[in-house]
Amino acid sequence: MFTDKNRLPDGSFLQRLPTDFYGDVPFEGTFWYAALLERLGLKNVRKDGDWLLTPREGTHWMSPAEGDVAEIFRERMDRGEVTVPQLVSALTFVADKLDPEAKIPPCAVSWMCRDMVTRAVLQRFNEIIGCRCTSLAELSCRIGDNIAEANDVFRTIRFCCAATGSGYFPVALLNEMIAVKSQLGIWADREGNPLFQYKAVTDGRELAILDRKRFDAFRFRPSDPESRRIRAALLHEKRTFVASCLFGVEADPTAVSVCRLRLWTELLKHFCREANPSLDASIVACNIRCRPEVEAIEHRSASAQAVAWSREFPELWTGTGDFAGFDGLIGHFSHTRDLPFGQAACRDMQPNDTSCERAAEAFRLFCEWGNRLLRREGSLSCFMPAGWMKSVSYGQLPTAETNPLWMIEFDTTSPDEALFGKGIVTVRKERNQYRMMHCQVRDDFDPRKTALEDYLQQHATPFSAKGRGKAGSPAAFITPFDMGKSIRTKIEQIGTPLGSWDIRMYPGICSGYDEAFVIDGNLREEFIRLDYKNTDIIKPLLRGEDVRRFTPEKTDLWLICIPWHFPLLYDATIKEASERAEQRFRQQYPAIWEHLGNFREQLVNRDVNEVGVTFEWYALQRYSATGEWDDFLTQKIVWQRESAAADFCIDYRGCAILDTACFATGQHLKYLLGVLNSKPGRYLLLDLPHSTAGIPPVGPRILEALKVPVPNIRTESEVISWVNRRTSDAHQDESETIDRKIDELVYEIFRLDEEEKEFIELTVSNY
C-alpha cells in the first residue's frame, strides 16, 4: 500500500515509452485506462455528459499498491498504446474526481502560494546574508552573480501543507518556487548554468516557460537539445523541492495516496531521457496536533494518527535536537471535518486549549497549533468559509506571537462560483504589529481580466471591527483602527500634500543596458585623460541599494549621462531621433562615441519601437526631461523605490540616480529629510496602501500624496540643525541620540500625544 514512507514508482520503465508525446491525449475508453481504474478500486460512470468516478466495492476506494500504476503501463508499453501525456492526463483526472472539494480557484491558489513563497524567501535571505531586502527585485540585485550560493539558501526553505487533500497546494508551491527563482535570476540547469534567457511564470496550477528573446512561450520539441535541457532543469528543480522543501500532513491516508500520485504526475510532465521522475515526498498521514516536542506526545492523549514529527520529518531538527520549524504553513478547509484534527481531538485537550464546538473556534485551534510549528517570522495562510472569519470568538488570537496580515472575503459569484462565501487569512509568527489589511472582493473582480494581487492593491484597507483587545495583549487580533484614525485625522488637519510644496520628484534613470552606460573609476579617468570635456556627461552614480539613512554609501561607479537628442537637448525643434544631434555628439565626444559603439547592437535592440524613432541609439532609454537633467546638479533627496521602511539620504555630489531609486529637489529638503527618516515619518510610509507582500513601493506619485506640515522658520531651523549633525562625519558616534532628538521634534510637529507616540513606536519597531 501507499503508506507514509513508500515511494511511488521511480519511472525507470518510462525509458522505453514513445518520445512523441505531443498533441491530443485521449485516454477514456482505452484498455489501459480501465485497467488503471480496476487497480485503484474505481469505476467510471457517465452522467449528463460528465465522467464520474465511484468506488467499485464498499464505500471507500482502495489505495493503490506500490507499483500498481507502473505495472499497468508496463503491460501496455510494448504494444505502443501508451504515451506519457496520456498517463499524466489520466492521473490528473483521477485525482481531480476523487477530491472535488479540494478544488479552489486558481487565482486564490496563485495569490496564497506566491505571497507565502515571497515572504519566506525574503525572510530567509535577509537572515542568512544579513540584508534588509523588502522586494524580490531588491534581493536580486543583492544576489548578483552568486547563483550557486543563492540556490543553497533557497533549498533551506521549508513549507508544510496542512490538510493537503489531493495535492493542489503542494503542486502550486512547486511552480511558484520555480517562478520566484526565475524572477531572482538564480534559476539554472542541472550543470549550474543560469537560464537567463527564459522566464518561468505561473497561474497557480500550471507553469509556463517564456523565451525572453522571442517574447513568446518556449516550445518544447522532443529532438531539440535545448528542450531537453529545460525539461531536465524543471524536473531537477521539482524533485529537489519535493525532497527538501515540501512537507505535508493529512488525516486521511487515502488523500495522502492521491497527493503523492499528483506530485508524481507533476514530475512526469517534464519526463526526459536524461532524468527519471522518481519521487521522495514527505507527505504523511497524521494530524497537525503531532507536536514538535516528542515529550508532549508522551504526556498527552493524542489522536490515534498523531505521530512524532521527529520520526516522520527528521530534516526539521537541528544538530542540537531543536525543532527548526517551517517557513510557511498553508491549507484549505471547507468543513470542520477538513481540519487536521477532528471534533474528537477536542476532548483530549488540556484546560488551556480552546473548545472546538464551533467551526470558527476550531480554526482558532488550528492557528494555535500551526503557530507552534512555524519558525520565527514564518507565515500561515488558509482558504476557508468566510463566515468563520466573522465570528466574534475568532476575533481573539490564541497567542501574542501572531501578527495578522491579511483577511480577504470573496463576495462574488462571477465568473467562478467557487469563490463565493470563501475567504483567505494570512498571519505571521511575530509580535502583533496591528497592520492587518482587509479586502472584500466583489462582483467587479474578474480573475480572467485582473490579477487578484492588482485588485487587492486597489481595494484593500486597514481592517476595523466594533471591538478590539488592548494593544499588545494576546487578545488583540485586529488593527487598532481608532488609534490609526486619530493619527490620520491630525495629519489631515495640519499636513499639506508634498505635491503642493515647491519640490519636484522624479523616478531614476533607466539606461536600458547598464553594461554600456555604467563604468568604474578607472575607465572614467581614462576618458578624462583623453578629453577633459567628458566630465560634462560622466556623473557619480547612486543606486537604490546604495541609499542609507541620511547619507548614501559611496561607490566608485559612474554613469555616462546622455539624455535624448544630446548635445542638442535644448533645441525645441527636435521632436524625435535626430541625425544632426548624433553627428554633433560624435564630433564633440569621440571617446564616449567609440565606447558606446562597442554596444551598438544591444543598444539598438533595447526597444525597436523607440530606439532610432523617439530617441537616438546612444541615449539613455528613459530620460527625456530637460528639467531632470538640470536637477541632477542640485542638492536632492534620494530614496529606494521598492522598500517598505524606505531610507532617505541627501546627495551633495550631483549624482545620477538609477531607476531603482527616486529623487526630489526644491525647497525645505533638509527639513523634509528629517521628517521622512523619523519614526513618525516612517509610520506615514507604512500607512500607505500595501502590496501583496505587505510592501508599499514609494514612487514619486505616492510620496506626493504624503501630508507633512509646512514648517515655520523656528521649527525648520531646529530640524536642519540636527540633520546637519546627523549627516556630518564628525558626529557619527552620536547617531542614536540625534535620531531620538529628531523623532521628538517631529512628534511635536504632528501634535501627537503620548498614547499615539507609543502606538507609532510599536508599529515601526519591527521595520
Side-chain angles (χ1 to χ4, degrees):
M1 303 293 288
F2 278 136
T3 54
D4 299 348
K5 288 298 182 180
N6 290 339
R7 294 187 181 185
L8 285 166
D10 64 6
S12 59
F13 71 94
L14 294 171
Q15 292 293 341
R16 289 179 288 163
L17 284 177
T19 57
D20 184 16
F21 45 85
Y22 294 88
D24 295 333
V25 289
F27 56 86
E28 293 172 329
T30 59
F31 292 106
W32 61 263
Y33 178 65
L36 171 65
L37 297 184
E38 182 75 28
R39 296 292 177 89
L40 297 177
L42 299 168
K43 62 180 178 179
N44 217 355
V45 179
R46 188 68 177 245
K47 181 180 180 181
D48 298 330
D50 294 328
W51 287 96
L52 307 175
L53 298 180
T54 62
R56 300 188 71 88
E57 298 176 0
T59 57
H60 299 286
W61 69 285
M62 296 161 37
S63 297
E66 184 173 4
D68 273 359
V69 176
E71 184 62 30
I72 296 171
F73 293 93
R74 288 193 182 98
E75 295 170 357
R76 304 292 173 182
M77 73 180 172
D78 290 333
R79 306 178 189 178
E81 299 174 350
V82 181
T83 64
V84 172
Q86 288 176 326
L87 171 58
V88 170
S89 296
L91 293 178
T92 301
F93 178 82
V94 169
D96 288 348
K97 293 299 182 181
L98 290 175
D99 196 2
E101 290 185 349
K103 300 176 185 178
I104 63 176
C107 63
V109 175
S110 179
W111 184 88
M112 292 173 67
C113 293
R114 180 75 172 187
D115 181 70
M116 177 164 289
V117 173
T118 299
R119 291 182 190 279
V121 168
L122 290 174
Q123 195 280 328
R124 181 57 63 91
F125 274 86
N126 285 342
E127 176 185 332
I128 292 180
I129 68 179
C131 62
R132 296 172 53 198
C133 297
T134 55
S135 69
L136 295 178
E138 183 182 356
L139 178 58
S140 178
C141 294
R142 291 298 301 268
I143 291 174
D145 296 329
N146 302 310
I147 295 177
E149 294 85 347
N151 276 288
D152 290 339
V153 174
F154 209 99
R155 284 190 288 270
T156 65
I157 299 173
R158 303 286 186 263
F159 296 106
C160 180
C161 298
T164 189
S166 64
Y168 278 111
F169 276 113
V171 169
L173 285 171
L174 279 181
N175 292 333
E176 290 295 349
M177 284 190 279
I178 294 176
V180 168
K181 288 188 71 170
S182 175
Q183 185 174 347
L184 290 174
I186 63 175
W187 183 33
D189 63 18
R190 297 186 65 188
E191 285 70 41
N193 302 310
L195 296 170
F196 294 138
Q197 180 179 343
Y198 306 103
K199 179 181 180 181
V201 296
T202 178
D203 66 354
R205 293 186 181 177
E206 296 297 332
L207 184 70
I209 306 302
L210 306 180
D211 191 326
R212 297 181 190 269
K213 290 186 177 180
R214 296 181 175 87
F215 303 100
D216 197 5
F218 180 75
R219 295 187 177 183
F220 291 95
R221 299 178 177 87
S223 59
D224 178 25
E226 187 68 1
S227 292
R228 292 198 296 270
R229 183 170 80 104
I230 300 302
R231 280 185 176 274
L234 289 169
L235 180 58
H236 173 71
E237 290 286 10
K238 290 190 176 182
R239 288 180 62 181
T240 300
F241 289 149
V242 169
S244 305
C245 303
L246 280 183
F247 299 80
V249 293
E250 169 62 54
D252 182 5
T254 298
V256 173
S257 296
V258 179
C259 179
R260 294 174 64 84
L261 279 171
R262 189 182 291 278
L263 287 172
W264 189 54
T265 302
E266 192 66 21
L267 301 188
L268 286 177
K269 292 179 181 179
H270 312 297
F271 164 72
C272 58
R273 302 295 185 190
E274 289 73 15
N276 292 329
S278 60
L279 178 71
D280 184 13
S282 298
I283 309 294
V284 302
C286 65
N287 61 54
I288 202 169
R289 297 186 72 244
C290 303
R291 294 288 302 279
E293 303 83 7
V294 178
E295 294 79 10
I297 294 293
E298 297 173 352
H299 292 88
R300 296 175 67 96
S301 175
S303 65
Q305 290 179 324
V307 294
W309 285 60
S310 58
R311 183 174 69 247
E312 297 298 337
F313 302 141
E315 307 94 328
L316 297 174
W317 261 254
T318 65
T320 59
D322 297 324
F323 181 66
F326 296 106
D327 296 275
L329 189 67
I330 197 167
H332 163 226
F333 314 113
S334 57
H335 298 287
T336 310
R337 58 178 172 81
D338 291 332
L339 288 163
F341 48 78
Q343 292 287 346
C346 303
R347 295 192 293 268
D348 302 321
M349 296 188 173
Q350 297 291 340
N352 62 324
D353 287 328
T354 306
S355 172
C356 285
E357 290 300 320
R358 295 197 302 170
E361 295 176 350
F363 172 70
R364 265 196 68 201
L365 183 59
F366 168 72
C367 283
E368 180 175 349
W369 284 100
N371 200 66
R372 300 179 188 180
L373 297 177
L374 292 173
R375 69 193 309 270
R376 179 69 181 173
E377 297 186 9
S379 58
L380 179 152
S381 184
C382 56
F383 186 83
M384 72 187 80
W388 294 14
M389 301 184 299
K390 299 176 182 179
S391 171
V392 175
S393 58
Y394 169 61
Q396 309 290 326
L397 276 184
T399 171
E401 288 298 308
T402 305
N403 179 30
L405 300 175
W406 278 100
M407 176 186 287
I408 304 169
E409 299 179 59
F410 293 98
D411 188 19
T412 176
T413 58
S414 176
D416 196 336
E417 294 184 359
L419 283 173
F420 182 73
K422 301 298 192 300
I424 298 173
V425 166
T426 301
V427 299
R428 195 172 186 179
K429 187 176 181 178
E430 62 185 354
R431 186 170 61 179
N432 196 334
Q433 298 174 13
Y434 311 105
R435 300 293 309 156
M436 189 176 76
M437 300 299 294
H438 172 262
C439 185
Q440 192 166 21
V441 182
R442 302 186 183 276
D443 285 336
D444 59 342
F445 171 66
D446 187 345
R448 297 169 299 187
K449 300 178 181 179
T450 306
L452 180 58
E453 178 178 356
D454 296 334
Y455 187 91
L456 295 178
Q457 275 191 302
Q458 298 173 11
H459 298 87
T461 58
F463 180 77
S464 64
K466 294 181 179 180
R468 72 174 193 270
K470 182 181 178 181
S473 70
F477 171 69
I478 65 168
T479 302
F481 183 75
D482 295 340
M483 182 66 71
K485 184 177 180 181
S486 172
I487 296 173
R488 282 190 292 273
T489 299
K490 289 186 176 181
I491 295 172
E492 290 282 339
Q493 292 175 347
I494 65 175
T496 301
L498 294 181
S500 301
W501 288 38
D502 186 14
I503 57 176
R504 296 170 298 282
M505 300 186 190
Y506 305 99
I509 294 170
C510 174
S511 72
Y513 195 72
D514 289 350
E515 289 82 350
F517 293 97
V518 178
I519 62 175
D520 60 18
N522 293 330
L523 186 54
R524 170 182 176 268
E525 293 298 327
E526 178 64 19
F527 284 141
I528 294 175
R529 186 185 65 80
L530 293 173
D531 190 342
Y532 189 78
K533 185 171 56 176
N534 289 331
T535 57
D536 295 342
I537 57 174
I538 300 179
K539 303 296 180 183
L541 179 63
L542 184 54
R543 305 166 299 175
E545 55 264 40
D546 302 326
V547 174
R548 301 292 183 269
R549 292 186 70 223
F550 290 101
T551 55
E553 183 176 316
K554 294 182 180 179
T555 64
D556 192 22
L557 293 178
W558 304 76
L559 186 74
I560 300 175
C561 287
I562 306 178
W564 295 1
H565 320 317
F566 185 83
L568 305 179
L569 70 160
Y570 295 104
D571 188 338
T573 64
I574 299 178
K575 304 297 184 181
E576 55 188 20
S578 169
E579 293 183 2
R580 183 161 58 93
E582 182 175 347
Q583 183 179 4
R584 186 74 61 85
F585 175 69
R586 183 175 185 177
Q587 294 172 349
Q588 295 182 7
Y589 301 90
I592 303 295
W593 169 275
E594 182 179 353
H595 167 76
L596 294 177
N598 296 328
F599 305 95
R600 182 160 186 160
E601 181 180 355
Q602 295 92 328
L603 295 176
V604 169
N605 291 328
R606 286 177 294 175
D607 191 332
V608 295
N609 295 321
E610 291 191 355
V611 177
V613 180
T614 307
F615 62 91
E616 298 75 16
W617 67 268
Y618 58 84
L620 297 163
Q621 182 166 331
R622 284 289 178 271
Y623 181 49
S624 59
T626 56
E628 184 178 351
W629 169 266
D630 297 332
D631 281 334
F632 274 145
L633 305 178
T634 63
Q635 186 181 106
K636 55 185 173 290
I637 292 177
V638 184
W639 68 94
Q640 192 170 356
R641 189 170 189 168
E642 300 287 340
S643 180
D647 291 334
F648 294 80
C649 67
I650 193 160
D651 169 45
Y652 298 110
R653 303 168 61 205
C655 289
I657 312 301
L658 274 192
D659 57 353
T660 53
C662 304
F663 69 98
T665 63
Q667 302 298 314
H668 310 292
L669 290 184
K670 288 189 177 180
Y671 165 79
L672 188 58
L673 181 68
V675 171
L676 293 174
N677 276 328
S678 68
K679 288 183 179 178
R682 186 155 300 195
Y683 173 80
L684 293 181
L685 295 173
L686 293 173
D687 202 38
L688 297 172
H690 283 49
S691 69
T692 300
I695 302 167
V698 186
R701 290 186 178 181
I702 295 294
L703 206 62
E704 285 175 354
L706 205 67
K707 290 192 174 183
V708 176
V710 177
N712 55 43
I713 296 177
R714 183 188 66 81
T715 300
E716 184 171 18
S717 298
E718 283 189 84
V719 174
I720 290 177
S721 174
W722 287 108
V723 168
N724 285 338
R725 297 185 65 179
R726 184 62 169 81
T727 57
S728 171
D729 293 337
H731 296 280
Q732 290 304 306
D733 294 339
E734 307 172 31
S735 59
E736 291 186 7
T737 301
I738 296 173
D739 287 347
R740 286 196 296 270
K741 293 290 187 181
I742 294 175
D743 288 343
E744 288 301 321
L745 281 174
V746 179
Y747 280 134
E748 292 179 10
I749 291 170
F750 285 111
R751 305 172 188 172
L752 300 176
D753 58 34
E754 291 301 321
E755 187 178 0
E756 291 164 338
K757 292 180 186 178
E758 183 180 353
F759 172 73
I760 289 177
E761 296 276 344
L762 178 64
T763 302
V764 304
S765 61
N766 290 303
Y767 287 89

